Amino acid sequence: MSTTIEDRVADGADQGFDADALSRLRAQITEALAVAGERIPAPVREQAQVNLDRVDERLQLGVGHTVVALVGGTGSGKSSLFNALSGLDFADVGVIRPTTAQAAACTWGSRAEELLDFLGVAPGRRIQRDSVLDHDAHTGLHGLVLMDLPDHDSVEQGHARQVDRLLPLVDLLIWVVDPQKYADNVLHERYLRTLSERQGAMLVVLNQVDTIPAHTEEQIRDDVGRLLSEGGLEQVQILLTSARAGTGLDQLRERIAQVSASASVSARTARSQLEATARTLMEYLGPAQPEPDDAETIAENLATASGVASTSEAIREAVASPRQVLLDPLQRPARSRIDAIRERWLAKATVGLPRAWQESVTRHVAPPQTFYDHLWRALSKVELSATTEHRSRRMRAFAQVLLGLGVLALIAGVVLWVLGIADVLTGLSLPAWAGVGAGAAAIVAGLALRLWARRRRRAVAAERASSYLSRATHEIRQVVAADLIEPTAGPLAEHDQVRRALTAL
């Protein structure tokens, strides 16, 4: 559903059209263009720069001005309407006398000198409207440039050329017609019908209605509407005015104020130019930012493929064993598995990217053989240790001695107790069960030490296995970072930076 200018102003749709916002958007695209560099084809970059230069020109002219032009034929009364809208009788004040030979302009607030130079309004044909005495009557017109264009039907060909050049530059075209010549063929065929795509920015004013009977006003309005509809301009609003009698001037001023409150043609054109440029550049980027696996994830995958987990388990079993175990030498991982993991990571890192960006991302990545060699070298320098801790081995030996002595003492005590000759043989007054107790104590101590030694071996085994796994994975991660992550980080970050800048418009 289409919206009116009033709707857009009310809901804030024109935000982002001021000079500062447009300058920021232009800077974003300029930076994105510089970051992308040769990854965007040269002809596209050159055209984008041309578009940015055009936006610069528009910004230098100022986009905070709204240009409203009165266009009409000889005798339509547009100069009188110009005086009535501005509230200045130029002939009386002696500043300038608006005629239809050259464009004249009245500005509210700023003088808009550069814009008027660009529009071709001679210095002597300009006047600034800024009076505190009737401020309320001109509220909402700040930044307005009201122009009185030469007669489009003048016999002077230069007049028509001025009109042709200025029409695309104005925000609101007010076509001023009179009751006698509103059906002028030149107006409808040469101008109105050729501007059908801009009918939302046009207004037809049937001026001098004070010269016709009141009962014929609606009939003429309907006839003008019929002619406009035949030319595909059914959306163009029609107002009835009289510059001399003041009829319809308040309604016309209100309409001009509505246009002044919205973004100017220059602002909308600049914004459209920036958005179109951004859309074109986006065609040379990926539809989304690739999200490859991080170094930790790919290092774990490579560790698994390289048998690091199996080697870690072999270390655990060897250290936990009470006997001295020799580990098998480390085996080289299968080249095909390592290459497959590398290729899958690269595919994920470049998914959706155009060829130029893919080449930029993969250009400095280590080739398959180099990556494999670096991986094997890193694994080879990780020490394999399956030797049991010396303290644990001593405790186990001591436990064995205690167990042996305890068993002997226990056997001796039991025998002496059974035979009842303990006191005779020893010559001591010790009960027979003393030997049994000593033996039992030694056995318990030996068992306890043996249990401690076993737990100690297992703890050391787990620590050695975990240490190897951690050190091997760390070394693999270092290779991944140096050979894959770091070489691709820059181009991927630049692609993301360019995408963010262009999609922020």
Side-chain angles (χ1 to χ4, degrees):
M1 181 177 64
S2 62
T3 57
T4 63
I5 292 177
E6 300 94 297
D7 294 331
R8 296 181 63 198
V9 173
D11 64 17
D14 282 331
Q15 294 179 359
F17 285 87
D18 60 274
D20 290 341
L22 292 170
S23 294
R24 286 194 296 271
L25 295 179
R26 184 200 179 281
Q28 283 180 220
I29 297 179
T30 301
E31 183 179 4
L33 203 58
V35 171
E38 295 181 357
R39 288 166 290 200
I40 292 178
V44 177
R45 295 200 311 273
E46 292 168 2
Q47 184 57 52
Q49 190 59 55
V50 169
N51 294 342
L52 293 174
D53 291 342
R54 288 174 180 170
V55 170
D56 252 353
E57 293 175 0
R58 292 181 182 276
L59 292 177
Q60 290 171 9
L61 293 174
V63 295
H65 301 289
T66 301
V67 181
V68 175
L70 299 172
V71 191
T74 305
S76 62
K78 60 183 176 62
S79 294
S80 297
L81 194 59
F82 182 86
N83 283 344
L85 290 172
S86 65
L88 296 174
D89 187 343
F90 292 167
D92 290 343
V93 298
V95 181
I96 58 174
R97 178 178 177 81
T99 68
T100 57
Q102 296 181 17
C106 179
T107 61
W108 276 256
S110 170
R111 291 185 178 276
E113 298 290 352
E114 292 184 352
L115 175 60
L116 293 178
D117 288 343
F118 181 76
L119 294 174
V121 180
R125 309 294 297 164
R126 309 172 186 179
I127 191 168
Q128 185 179 14
R129 182 67 170 83
D130 193 7
S131 173
V132 297
L133 299 178
D134 55 354
H135 177 74
D136 291 343
H138 297 270
T139 299
L141 298 182
H142 184 82
L144 173 66
V145 177
L146 180 65
M147 298 185 65
D148 179 16
L149 298 188
D151 299 340
H152 67 77
D153 59 353
S154 171
V155 294
E156 294 287 340
Q157 292 299 315
H159 294 184
R161 284 195 295 271
Q162 287 188 63
V163 174
D164 293 342
R165 187 180 74 85
L166 294 175
L167 286 184
L169 306 176
V170 301
D171 298 286
L172 179 64
L173 298 171
I174 300 179
W175 297 95
V176 183
V177 298
D178 62 79
Q180 287 73 40
K181 296 194 298 182
Y182 64 83
D184 177 60
N185 187 61
V186 174
L187 171 64
H188 288 275
E189 294 297 330
R190 181 174 179 182
Y191 292 108
L192 292 180
R193 292 187 180 183
T194 62
L195 295 171
S196 59
E197 75 283 356
R198 293 195 60 190
Q199 56 183 312
M202 290 195 296
L203 181 67
V204 170
V205 170
L206 182 60
N207 195 26
Q208 302 175 354
V209 293
D210 58 315
T211 64
I212 60 174
H215 69 274
T216 64
E217 290 180 2
E218 291 303 319
Q219 177 183 347
I220 295 178
R221 180 203 290 270
D222 292 342
D223 200 29
V224 172
R226 176 185 59 79
L227 292 172
L228 292 174
S229 296
E230 290 177 355
L233 301 170
E234 59 278 355
Q235 296 180 20
V236 176
Q237 184 181 4
I238 303 171
L239 294 181
L240 304 182
T241 65
S242 170
R244 183 170 58 182
T247 304
L249 294 185
D250 289 342
Q251 188 178 4
L252 182 55
R253 284 196 187 94
E254 181 181 356
R255 175 62 173 145
I256 293 174
Q258 292 170 351
V259 175
S260 295
S262 66
S264 68
V265 163
S266 294
R268 291 195 298 270
T269 301
R271 176 88 188 200
S272 297
Q273 192 97 62
L274 291 173
E275 290 175 344
T277 301
R279 285 194 299 271
T280 299
L281 296 179
M282 282 294 293
E283 295 176 6
Y284 298 90
L285 300 173
Q289 179 66 13
E291 296 182 0
D293 293 331
D294 57 20
E296 189 70 31
T297 301
I298 190 172
E300 290 176 358
N301 293 338
L302 288 168
T304 300
S306 301
V308 170
S310 300
T311 302
S312 173
E313 180 61 22
I315 292 174
R316 189 193 66 78
E317 292 178 356
V319 175
S321 174
R323 298 179 300 276
Q324 188 70 28
V325 177
L326 296 178
L327 288 175
D328 294 332
L330 187 66
Q331 299 296 314
R332 279 180 173 267
R335 167 72 185 275
S336 59
R337 297 185 66 186
I338 303 304
D339 287 352
I341 292 174
R342 175 186 175 278
E343 290 304 317
R344 281 198 301 270
W345 186 88
L346 280 178
K348 200 170 183 179
T350 58
V351 61
L353 296 183
R355 180 180 297 276
W357 283 98
Q358 287 186 4
E359 293 175 351
S360 173
V361 170
T362 60
R363 184 177 300 128
H364 302 295
V365 170
Q369 183 62 55
T370 302
F371 180 69
Y372 180 82
D373 291 343
H374 289 172
L375 179 66
W376 173 242
R377 188 179 305 132
L379 289 173
S380 299
K381 70 180 183 180
V382 180
E383 181 184 359
L384 298 178
S385 177
T387 304
T388 306
E389 186 183 42
H390 292 302
R391 183 182 178 188
S392 175
R393 293 170 61 187
R394 288 197 302 269
M395 287 300 101
R396 183 174 181 276
F398 186 49
Q400 290 294 102
V401 172
L402 281 178
L403 284 172
L405 292 175
V407 169
L408 290 176
L410 181 63
I411 293 172
V414 170
V415 170
L416 291 175
W417 187 20
V418 171
L419 297 178
I421 60 173
D423 291 339
V424 176
L425 293 177
T426 61
L428 301 173
S429 298
L430 295 174
W433 48 263
V436 176
I443 291 173
V444 170
L447 290 173
L449 284 175
R450 188 165 183 171
L451 179 61
W452 179 89
R454 178 183 298 175
R455 289 181 175 176
R456 179 64 184 174
R457 284 199 312 274
R458 290 178 178 176
V460 172
E463 186 276 329
R464 295 273 178 84
S466 176
S467 175
Y468 173 79
L469 184 63
S470 176
R471 287 181 288 117
T473 304
H474 172 75
E475 294 296 331
I476 294 174
R477 191 162 50 244
Q478 295 293 99
V479 173
V480 169
D483 286 3
L484 299 181
I485 303 295
E486 292 173 5
T488 59
L492 286 175
E494 290 170 347
H495 181 267
D496 187 46
Q497 179 182 351
V498 174
R499 285 193 78 260
R500 289 178 183 274
L502 298 180
T503 55
L505 271 68

